[in-house]
Amino acid sequence: MTSTLWTARPIEPTALKQLRDTDDAGRPCLPYTDTEGGEVLRCCLRRSGTGERIALVSYAPLRRWAAQTWAKPGAYDEQGPVFIHADECEGPVEQDGYPFARPGALRTLRRYDAEGRISGGRLLEIPEAATEGFDAALAEAFADPEVVLVHVRAVEYGCFQFEVRRP
């Protein structure tokens, strides 16, 4: 088991309950059965299995964080597609390293300050030693005392993967 220095956070249960009704773009949730498996689930930070009921919804992670912290991200608020279980799930289970850390994949680590404004970012090509690569990139981000939140996104589609908050 490879432990991580930072905690990858899934979408919170309260937000998931809302998203399973109406997503952050105001559209109804439309569940379906995953016939192939392999979708990146942000509710439990694992890939879907064949036959699971999932949904593709629009999610605004910074907006939801800002509502809890009273930050005002303004134009930095954005929403995008994420896969979630269509029904309540167990949430994340202990895993080896960071979720969705496939060596060679490109990730952007977008840094935010306490007001929800972007305060930098970094492109990470996930190395063979994926956990160490993420640990180093996140340590670099949080070395800036202004950074309170990091969003990890896939470069290919810009999809939100998970967030990490300053401890």
Side-chain angles (χ1 to χ4, degrees):
M1 178 73 71
T2 305
S3 64
T4 62
L5 294 178
W6 310 92
T7 302
R9 298 173 57 98
I11 298 174
E12 295 182 351
T14 302
L16 289 167
K17 185 175 181 181
Q18 294 166 353
L19 293 169
R20 288 179 179 122
D21 179 46
T22 304
D23 73 11
D24 287 344
R27 291 185 290 269
C29 180
L30 301 172
Y32 65 96
T33 300
D34 187 352
T35 58
E36 295 181 25
E39 299 297 357
V40 177
L41 299 168
R42 281 34 164 250
C43 49
C44 53
L45 300 180
R46 68 167 178 83
R47 292 196 178 272
S48 65
T50 303
E52 288 189 278
R53 282 181 30 87
I54 64 174
L56 180 62
V57 297
S58 186
Y59 177 57
L62 191 61
R63 180 185 316 160
R64 288 184 175 271
W65 170 81
Q68 296 172 354
T69 63
W70 302 101
K72 297 182 180 2
Y76 294 110
D77 176 33
E78 59 185 323
Q79 61 192 28
V82 295
F83 288 98
I84 61 172
H85 275 113
D87 303 300
E88 189 174 336
C89 69
E90 298 293 320
V93 295
E94 192 172 322
Q95 60 182 319
D96 191 19
Y98 292 93
F100 322 121
R102 181 178 44 84
L106 296 175
R107 299 291 181 259
T108 183
L109 282 71
R110 196 175 298 164
R111 306 169 187 175
Y112 295 93
D113 66 16
E115 285 299 312
R117 295 189 182 98
I118 292 176
S119 61
R122 182 184 195 285
L123 179 64
L124 173 68
E125 181 175 349
I126 301 174
E128 286 299 320
T131 298
E132 291 81 1
F134 268 108
D135 282 346
L138 290 163
E140 175 186 297
F142 289 117
D144 178 346
E146 299 295 315
V147 173
V148 299
L149 178 70
V150 175
H151 283 176
V152 176
R153 293 179 175 269
V155 171
E156 300 90 339
Y157 300 103
C159 296
F160 173 83
Q161 300 285 293
F162 59 88
E163 76 177 30
V164 177
R165 295 182 185 181
R166 181 178 292 279

